[in-house]
Amino acid sequence: MSMNEQNCTVIRDGFPRPFPDTPNNVLEQFKLPGRVAVVTGAADGIGYAVAEAMAEAGAHVGLWYNSNEAAIERAEELAKTHGVKTVAFKVDVSDSAAVESTMAKVVEQFGKIDIFVANAGMAISKPILEQTLPEYEKQLSVNVGGVVYCAKYAGEVFRRQGSGNLIITSSMSGHIVNVPVDQPIYNGTKAFVTHFGKSLAREWREFARVNIVSPGFFDTKLGAGPLAVNEAYRMAVLGRQGHVREIKGLYLYLASDASSYTTGSDVIIDGGYVLP
């Protein structure tokens, strides 16, 4: 860090770095022909919407799922519709050995990984005094451990390749204390992965970009539950939950050359929920 004006005038080797060779046409910047994207939690909800966005932009896609075998059929549909290669991989992201071995399988089948979207997550929305320790540990294993394991092993691939792009799905719950349902463990896990992603953006600055998406309530299985849905409508200035098609473009932006100067960012997409 420069401490005074004299320090600031020193020419440092390697700076400024060159601009990337990205297309001038903005629509071309969003295309992903020949690239390989992996999305965890890709069987439905936001995860499948992201996988769909990658395929629509021309990327080959690995869809990671844990128990929802709908991912297998949906992978086949994406390949048929968009003319890309897709493979569904069954993997428990809370199992570090499974993540490591599945990452190797992806590279074996696709030859590389350009984009990794660490999206899988879960919630057991209870106050801490009502939550069991096994429930706490389960959330930690998926929401924190799963992201850390995926980042570690995807990062090793990126470093070998000399390039890569990690996108972490966090939550607006890493920024606020949701009401009316108390869920301190879930909120804490999301605050962890948000700051973890920002820290990786610096650590991986020589070979990869890292960004975070923090969704609010979307109309999915992990959207607002019965106790919170009316408050979700009231708190979001747009007066509703989001539809998954409203988040696809954000992930595509972060995955594409359109965001080549974006790293370490945490993008909140919540219909204005956190404004009040």
Side-chain angles (χ1 to χ4, degrees):
M1 180 181 293
S2 300
M3 301 304 294
N4 54 48
E5 291 181 0
Q6 185 176 2
N7 294 147
C8 291
T9 61
V10 175
I11 298 175
R12 293 170 172 82
D13 291 339
F15 293 96
R17 293 175 178 169
F19 297 125
D21 185 21
T22 55
N24 185 63
N25 183 289
V26 70
L27 295 181
E28 292 296 321
Q29 292 176 11
F30 281 90
K31 294 180 180 180
L32 303 173
R35 298 190 197 182
V36 175
V38 176
V39 183
T40 70
D44 59 14
I46 289 175
Y48 177 68
V50 174
E52 187 177 47
M54 301 297 134
E56 288 170 345
H60 307 301
V61 187
L63 291 83
W64 286 23
Y65 71 99
N66 181 26
S67 59
N68 188 350
E69 295 191 349
I72 299 172
E73 182 178 347
R74 287 177 170 173
E76 294 172 353
E77 291 173 354
L78 289 179
K80 182 179 180 179
T81 301
H82 303 291
V84 297
K85 179 178 179 180
T86 62
V87 180
F89 297 88
K90 181 176 175 62
V91 54
D92 177 358
V93 297
S94 69
D95 181 338
S96 61
V99 171
E100 183 179 20
S101 63
T102 307
M103 202 76 68
K105 291 176 184 176
V106 173
V107 174
E108 180 181 353
Q109 294 205 34
F110 289 92
K112 61 177 180 174
I113 301 173
D114 298 297
I115 303 148
F116 195 99
V117 183
N119 170 76
M122 65 166 298
I124 303 175
S125 298
K126 293 181 180 180
I128 186 62
L129 298 182
E130 297 176 14
Q131 190 146 89
T132 67
L133 291 182
E135 289 174 334
Y136 150 73
E137 291 163 356
K138 179 63 176 177
Q139 289 181 90
L140 207 65
S141 71
V142 175
N143 294 357
V144 173
V147 172
V148 171
Y149 303 150
C150 288
K152 175 175 174 57
Y153 295 116
E156 291 180 355
V157 175
F158 294 163
R159 183 169 59 183
R160 289 197 304 270
Q161 295 174 164
S163 65
N165 189 335
L166 175 67
I167 304 169
I168 295 171
T169 299
S170 183
S171 172
M172 68 174 183
S173 302
H175 295 263
I176 60 169
V177 177
N178 303 59
V179 293
V181 178
D182 290 313
Q183 50 180 33
I185 300 302
Y186 177 80
N187 295 352
T189 65
K190 292 304 182 177
F192 177 100
V193 297
T194 295
H195 201 61
F196 176 65
K198 292 180 179 181
S199 301
L200 290 183
R202 170 172 166 79
E203 179 183 330
W204 296 358
R205 60 194 179 278
E206 299 297 336
F207 59 86
R209 294 191 293 114
V210 183
N211 290 289
I212 305 101
V213 175
S214 290
F217 286 120
F218 278 74
D219 189 14
T220 68
K221 293 177 182 178
L222 291 178
L227 298 178
V229 68
N230 288 328
E231 192 69 359
Y233 298 155
R234 186 187 72 82
M235 288 288 290
V237 299
L238 295 183
R240 59 179 174 83
Q241 295 191 89
H243 191 285
V244 291
R245 63 174 170 261
E246 296 178 285
I247 202 169
K248 291 168 63 174
L250 174 56
Y251 281 91
L252 179 57
Y253 165 75
L254 293 174
S256 72
D257 290 340
S259 64
S260 57
Y261 196 54
T262 304
T263 195
S265 291
D266 172 23
V267 185
I268 301 174
I269 177 167
D270 67 345
Y273 188 104
V274 304
L275 290 176

